[in-house]
């Protein structure tokens, strides 16, 4: 065999490998965020079970092959589906009419029927179905047995769905409802240069204030702008907004921190994420600045996770809400804090300044009057959404490289403390230990006494002695469950600095890592640095019913997740301290003598990240 032939065969083989590398991939063209449907948003009569539902969606990018995703994630029973059909819809939702010539059966592992177990999502087989950009698609589901009262869906469809009795394709007399059920995504198979942007948001992203069946949410307008631009006409837009959603806790639907991976990271072909949440957290808050700090911490975790996956993350500023039900000086302080961080801190890879787009130039804390939806002073109307969608810098969505990922924990130090270990025979009797398998170490502490002011008795105090090896800015995080605003605060002190009240820590009955606030000195000024050596954390009960599971003192400016970071690289330390002196505590300059404490033996784990 000659060298020329050998060379030619090698080139051919390389070409085949390169061709395989350019193989088609799946990219999301439409999706919606699923949740447990509230009672008032359940399907109307005749219900889903044994009946037929036609739902209309408008995709973003096109393709020749698609696949459909259905979800039973929040249902408590099996959902039986007898068959599913897709077709080109003849409207964007104004009626149920379809182009009959395009009607195509959907299969799941080769079968036209599928049973979704409780908590399950299913993906169809690939379907040959040409989709053009912004095409309206009708999805008709013929249900078998399923629950009519515990349903997975998306209440804020802004699009009419049609529910007909029995197994039928006749929707002329169908009941109408502006909700989606079971459907959760459409992916298209496209060339390698296609990609998608996932938008994590609340009702403003979900489209409250847009026009039903007009597909004019800000995300829809943004999609049209991308498609009209040659450099971005292959970018799909995935709207993951949930009305009433919160980043941290409470609100409607799963929180942003709990759904981020499912709704953003796991979507097919996502290269960009837009974070546009927080207004509901701030609106419900009793401490706007504290809430903003915890949203920022959650955002940092999301950004780190996305960067690990090669995904760019853009931050969108919170729009004004003066004169709305959320309006207060404290909430505005939180909004300003969060927006300033988005604009200037450098954590996000780009800024989408919705605040500047829609605010009143003469009163920047309020929306412009021409953008008001029903005068609620919170949600923009269709005109406002047009301004928002059209005002985004499309250059942000031309990036094809990966963001640089540097481990943010590198060089930082963390000390972990189990709250129940802080109880001593002579102190901490205003707390009780609760056994719970869901808690770190299987236990947590619950306060049992209300103290409207800093208590005088040591029975209200818990102490933990800990050491740090570096001089750095440290942060105090705790895994808390504070069900209401009547049990959401503690008194906190580091070393001999004054006690301060960490307030506004409500988690609505969910366990959540929260920042307990910056340390303050006797004058109430923030102190951010700890020196190498031993220090003491003191916590006093304030409100009955507040629960604390685990504590993290960290030079890593980001709250832990789950039960806490289990990556333990470095030093495991146990401090045993005998204190015999009478400590003097201060509350912002007022000196308070406390009785002598007894033996205080505290266990702590120190982790150095290399």
């Amino acid at each position: 065999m000659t060298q020329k032939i050998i060379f030619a065969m090698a080139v051919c083989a390389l070409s085949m490998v390169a061709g395989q590398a350019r193989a088609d991939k799946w990219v999301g063209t439409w999706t919606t965020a699923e949740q447990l449907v509230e009672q008032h948003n359940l399907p109307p009569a005749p219900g889903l079970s044994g009946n037929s539902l036609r739902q209309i969606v408008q995709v973003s990018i096109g393709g020749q092959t698609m696949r459909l995703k259905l979800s039973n994630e929040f249902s408590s029973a099996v959902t039986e589906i007898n068959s599913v059909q897709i077709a080109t819809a003849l409207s964007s939702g104004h009626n149920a009419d379809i182009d009959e010539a395009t009607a195509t059966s959907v299969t799941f592992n080769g079968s036209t029927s599928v049973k979704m177990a409780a908590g399950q999502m299913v993906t169809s087989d690939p379907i040959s179905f040409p989709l053009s950009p912004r095409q309206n698609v009708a999805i008709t589901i013929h249900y078998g047995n399923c629950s009519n009262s515990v349903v997975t869906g998306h209440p804020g469809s802004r699009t009419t769905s049609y529910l007909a009795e029995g197994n039928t394709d006749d929707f002329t007399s169908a009941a109408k409802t502006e909700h989606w059920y079971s459907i959760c995504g459409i992916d298209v198979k496209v060339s390698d240069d296609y990609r998608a942007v996932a938008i994590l948001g609340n009702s403003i992203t979900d489209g409250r204030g847009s026009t039903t069946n007009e597909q004019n949410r800000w995300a829809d307008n943004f999609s049209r702008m991308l498609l009209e631009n040659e450099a971005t006409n292959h970018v799909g837009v995935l709207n993951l907004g949930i009305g009433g959603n919160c980043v941290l806790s409470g609100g409607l639907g799963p929180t942003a921190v709990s759904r981020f991976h499912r709704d953003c990271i796991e979507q097919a072909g996502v290269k960009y994420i837009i974070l546009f949440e927080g207004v509901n957290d701030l609106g419900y808050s009793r401490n706007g600045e504290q809430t903003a700090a915890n949203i920022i911490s959650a955002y940092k975790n999301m950004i780190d996770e996305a960067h690990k996956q090669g995904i760019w993350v853009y931050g969108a500023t919170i729009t004004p809400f003066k004169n709305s039900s959320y309006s207060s000086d404290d909430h505005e302080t939180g909004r300003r804090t969060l927006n300033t961080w988005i604009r200037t801190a450098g954590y996000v890879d780009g800024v989408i300044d919705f605040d500047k787009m829609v605010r009143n130039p003469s009163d920047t804390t309020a929306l412009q009057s021409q953008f008001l939806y029903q005068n609620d002073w919170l949600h923009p109307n269709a005109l406002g959404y047009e301004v928002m969608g059209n005002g985004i810098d499309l250059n942000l969505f031309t990036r094809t490289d990966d963001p640089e990922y540097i481990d943010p924990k590198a060089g930082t130090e963390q000390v972990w403390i189990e709250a129940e270990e802080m109880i001593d025979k002579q102190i901490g009797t205003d707390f009780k230990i609760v056994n719970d398998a869901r808690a770190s170490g299987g236990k947590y502490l619950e306060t049992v006494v209300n103290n409207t002011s800093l208590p005088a008795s040591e029975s209200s105090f818990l102490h933990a002695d800990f050491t740090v090896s570096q001089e750095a800015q440290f942060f105090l995080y705790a895994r808390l469950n504070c069900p209401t605003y009547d049990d959401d605060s503690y008194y906190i002190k580091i070393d001999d600095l004054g006690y301060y009240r960490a307030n506004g820590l409500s988690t609505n009955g969910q366990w959540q890592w929260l920042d307990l606030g910056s340390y303050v000195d006797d004058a109430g000024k923030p102190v951010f640095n700890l020196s190498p050596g031993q220090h003491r954390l003191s916590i006093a009960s304030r409100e009955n019913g507040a629960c604390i599971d685990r504590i993290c003192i960290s030079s890593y400016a980001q709250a832990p997740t789950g039960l806490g970071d289990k990556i333990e690289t470095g030093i495991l330390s146990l401090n045993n301290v005998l204190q015999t002196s009478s400590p003097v505590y201060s509350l912002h300059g007022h000196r308070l003598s406390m009785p002598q404490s007894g033996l205080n033996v505290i266990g702590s784990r120190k982790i150095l990240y290399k």
Side-chain angles (χ1 to χ4, degrees):
M1 185 178 293
T2 67
Q3 290 184 339
K4 287 185 178 181
I5 295 175
I6 294 173
F7 178 76
M9 291 176 64
V11 170
C12 183
L14 289 172
S15 298
M16 291 175 65
V17 171
Q20 292 171 357
R22 292 193 297 270
D24 291 348
K25 66 176 182 180
W26 291 107
V27 174
T29 182
W30 174 86
T31 195
T32 192
E34 299 294 82
Q35 65 179 92
L36 176 65
V37 176
E38 307 96 335
Q39 290 296 306
H40 65 281
N41 288 325
L42 287 171
L48 298 181
S49 187
N51 299 311
S52 300
L53 177 67
R54 178 164 291 171
Q55 304 173 95
I56 296 172
V57 303
Q58 190 172 95
V59 300
S60 54
I61 54 175
Q64 297 299 306
T65 303
M66 60 165 280
R67 63 185 183 185
L68 176 68
K69 297 177 181 178
L70 305 177
S71 176
N72 199 39
E73 181 177 352
F74 296 94
S75 305
S76 56
V78 172
T79 293
E80 296 181 349
I81 293 176
N82 293 333
S83 63
V84 180
Q85 177 195 75
I86 58 169
T88 298
L90 297 183
S91 77
S92 56
H94 296 285
N95 57 60
D97 297 342
I98 63 171
D99 180 352
E100 299 286 352
T102 65
T104 304
S105 180
V106 178
T107 61
F108 301 86
N109 291 324
S111 175
T112 57
S113 64
V114 64
K115 292 183 179 180
M116 292 191 293
Q120 184 183 22
M121 186 194 81
V122 297
T123 302
S124 77
D125 301 326
I127 311 159
S128 178
F129 189 89
L131 278 176
S132 58
R134 301 306 303 180
Q135 179 174 325
N136 297 311
V137 178
I139 305 164
T140 304
I141 301 176
H142 302 294
Y143 287 92
N145 292 324
C146 64
S147 175
N148 288 322
S149 58
V150 184
V151 179
T152 297
H154 185 86
S157 65
R158 322 296 167 194
T159 307
T160 305
S161 300
Y162 300 86
L163 182 59
E165 189 170 3
N167 190 335
T168 181
D169 291 318
D170 183 0
F171 292 90
T172 55
S173 301
K176 298 178 182 179
T177 182
E178 291 180 19
H179 310 300
W180 285 319
Y181 305 105
S182 301
I183 57 174
C184 66
I186 296 175
D187 299 336
V188 287
K189 205 165 191 181
V190 288
S191 58
D192 194 55
D193 58 335
Y194 277 73
R195 46 198 181 271
V197 49
I199 306 167
L200 192 71
N202 44 45
S203 58
I204 296 178
T205 295
D206 201 25
R208 181 169 177 80
S210 63
T211 312
T212 299
N213 295 324
E214 291 297 331
Q215 313 297 329
N216 57 4
R217 311 163 188 85
W218 74 259
D220 297 312
N221 294 311
F222 169 49
S223 173
R224 294 184 183 99
M225 293 293 291
L226 289 169
L227 292 169
E228 292 171 4
N229 180 45
E230 185 176 356
T232 58
N233 61 11
H234 44 279
V235 178
V237 174
L238 305 177
N239 187 331
L240 283 311
I242 294 180
N245 198 232
C246 287
V247 175
L248 303 170
S249 63
L252 300 178
T255 60
V257 292
S258 67
R259 67 188 180 96
F260 176 73
H261 192 86
R262 178 200 74 177
D263 284 354
C264 294
I265 299 296
E266 292 184 351
Q267 295 289 343
V270 167
K271 187 62 179 177
Y272 319 101
I273 292 173
I274 298 174
L275 301 177
F276 183 36
E277 284 240 42
V279 68
N280 292 319
D281 299 77
L282 294 169
Y284 299 144
S285 171
R286 293 203 306 183
N287 187 328
E289 193 159 10
Q290 179 93 55
T291 299
N294 284 310
I295 294 171
I296 289 167
S297 183
Y299 270 9
K300 289 178 180 178
N301 280 326
M302 294 177 189
I303 293 166
D304 285 346
E305 184 177 0
H307 282 176
K308 286 180 185 178
Q309 304 299 323
I311 298 171
W312 297 95
V313 182
Y314 305 129
T317 53
I318 305 301
T319 50
F321 48 71
K322 182 180 179 180
N323 301 319
S324 76
S325 60
Y326 288 171
S327 182
S328 77
D329 290 343
D330 177 72
H331 295 166
E332 176 60 25
T333 296
R335 186 181 79 93
R336 186 167 56 247
T337 298
L338 180 55
N339 283 353
T340 298
W341 178 85
I342 290 170
R343 290 179 178 124
T344 65
Y347 278 87
V348 295
D349 301 309
V351 178
I352 299 171
D353 209 335
F354 286 147
D355 172 37
K356 287 185 178 180
M357 293 182 200
V358 298
R359 69 190 186 190
N360 186 340
S362 60
D363 183 355
T364 58
T365 63
L367 286 170
Q368 294 188 49
S369 58
Q370 65 266 38
F371 297 151
L372 293 180
Y373 169 66
Q374 295 185 350
N375 288 323
D376 74 356
W377 291 94
L378 179 63
H379 300 94
N381 56 21
L383 177 60
Y385 287 140
E386 182 178 352
V387 169
M388 292 169 66
N390 294 352
I392 298 171
D393 180 5
L394 300 185
N395 289 319
L396 296 174
F397 305 93
T398 60
R399 292 170 166 170
T400 58
D401 57 332
D402 292 344
E404 181 182 7
Y405 177 72
I406 300 174
D407 184 0
K409 293 190 180 76
T412 64
E413 183 175 4
Q414 292 181 306
V415 176
W416 300 89
I417 300 169
E418 295 290 350
E420 66 273 10
E421 294 181 8
M422 298 178 73
I423 286 189
D424 185 83
K425 292 180 180 179
Q426 299 183 45
I427 62 172
T429 56
D430 285 359
F431 301 82
K432 68 177 181 180
I433 295 178
V434 180
N435 294 315
D436 190 334
R438 297 168 299 177
S440 174
K443 300 176 181 179
Y444 66 85
L445 287 186
E446 179 180 350
T447 58
V448 295
V449 173
N450 279 313
N451 292 301
T452 56
S453 59
L454 185 70
S457 171
E458 271 288 273
S459 64
S460 297
F461 289 82
L462 298 169
H463 304 290
D465 296 284
F466 64 95
T467 59
V468 297
S469 62
Q470 58 184 266
E471 181 166 345
Q473 179 180 359
F474 279 82
F475 302 86
L476 178 61
Y477 302 107
R479 188 172 186 257
L480 304 173
N481 189 339
C482 300
T484 71
Y485 286 119
D486 294 324
D487 49 24
D488 70 339
S489 60
Y490 294 91
Y491 294 105
I492 308 289
K493 183 167 79 78
I494 294 288
D495 295 336
D496 293 324
L497 303 176
Y499 275 97
Y500 67 94
R501 188 176 69 184
N503 196 22
L505 303 174
S506 175
T507 66
N508 297 96
Q510 305 170 45
W511 284 106
Q512 179 75 40
W513 282 97
L514 295 179
D515 185 349
L516 294 187
S518 301
Y519 317 138
V520 295
D521 60 16
D522 289 349
K525 296 180 180 179
V527 175
F528 298 102
N529 294 315
L530 292 179
S531 58
Q534 183 172 294
H535 300 274
R536 166 164 282 205
L537 166 68
S538 300
I539 299 177
S541 64
R542 182 172 184 269
E543 293 178 315
N544 182 32
C547 302
I548 185 169
D549 177 27
R550 200 175 190 210
I551 296 161
C552 179
I553 301 165
S554 175
S555 64
Y556 175 45
Q558 208 159 310
T561 58
L563 294 178
D565 199 324
K566 297 298 185 182
I567 303 173
E568 299 176 11
T569 305
I571 302 170
L572 181 67
S573 66
L574 189 65
N575 303 315
N576 297 323
V577 179
L578 175 64
Q579 179 179 321
T580 56
S581 60
S582 297
V584 177
Y585 300 89
S586 61
L587 177 62
H588 293 188
H590 302 287
R591 298 180 69 81
L592 302 170
S593 295
M594 296 294 173
Q596 182 175 334
S597 67
L599 183 66
N600 183 21
V601 182
I602 303 300
S604 67
R605 295 185 299 148
K606 182 170 69 173
I607 302 166
L608 293 175
Y609 287 93
K610 303 296 185 182

